Amino acid sequence: MGATLASSKVAEGVSAGGYPLMHGPTFMANPLSCAIAAASIQLLTESPWRERVRNIGAELKDGLAGCADVGVVKDVRVLGAVGVIELNRAVDMQWITAKLIQRGVWLRPFGRLLYTMPPYVIQSTELQTITDAMKDVVKAMDAQDR
């Protein structure tokens, strides 16, 4: 839940290209969303979430490590429970989404980024499915470029 205040100049910049704030109307602070947000925060703070984030981060680093040497990859990075493969070029959304779905994974690439932000309750086997799919599609992209 959040709010954004901006000058006209900033608001025009944020809205450039017809995509104002991308997710503004998704939640809009309706009462049900607020109650769910409060309950989610309570569940989070009562759980060992810091340990889970550390474990997820370590598994992401291990799972994505082999991608750094793939030709189409510019960078591989992990911060907390976020794993990112940055590519040298923009992702073909239709192609990569189809390839990921074939592997049982739904991710939303953005520009040159193929990333995952798994839930803190993810199991190791589920996370491995995601990182394996990410590796596979990046290697397939590289093979297409040759």
Side-chain angles (χ1 to χ4, degrees):
M1 189 168 24
T4 303
L5 298 176
S7 67
S8 295
K9 183 178 180 180
V10 171
E12 288 171 13
V14 171
S15 299
Y19 299 105
L21 298 177
M22 300 269 301
H23 299 289
T26 303
F27 303 104
M28 291 298 217
N30 75 52
L32 179 59
S33 294
C34 292
I36 292 168
S40 294
I41 291 168
Q42 182 178 354
L43 286 171
L44 176 68
T45 58
E46 293 173 354
S47 74
W49 67 272
R50 287 180 181 92
E51 180 183 347
R52 290 178 183 167
V53 169
R54 276 192 296 274
N55 292 340
I56 292 168
E59 290 180 34
L60 284 169
K61 283 180 186 175
D62 289 344
L64 299 177
C67 295
D69 298 327
V70 179
V72 295
V73 174
K74 180 177 181 181
D75 189 26
V76 177
R77 53 191 177 271
V78 173
L79 179 61
V82 180
V84 180
I85 300 173
E86 182 178 356
L87 304 167
N88 293 323
R89 60 179 168 83
V91 172
D92 177 339
M93 293 284 289
Q94 191 172 14
W95 181 88
I96 203 165
T97 300
K99 294 293 184 190
L100 289 165
I101 290 171
Q102 287 173 359
R103 289 160 177 78
V105 172
W106 178 263
L107 296 177
R108 184 175 176 234
F110 184 78
R112 297 182 322 187
L113 306 178
L114 178 59
Y115 67 97
T116 184
M117 299 184 306
Y120 297 166
V121 295
I122 195 166
Q123 301 297 308
S124 293
T125 55
E126 296 167 327
L127 187 54
Q128 184 174 357
T129 298
I130 293 170
T131 56
D132 286 350
M134 292 172 75
K135 283 189 293 192
D136 290 347
V137 297
V138 166
K139 289 177 182 177
M141 284 178 66
D142 191 59
Q144 274 188 332
D145 285 359
R146 292 177 189 229

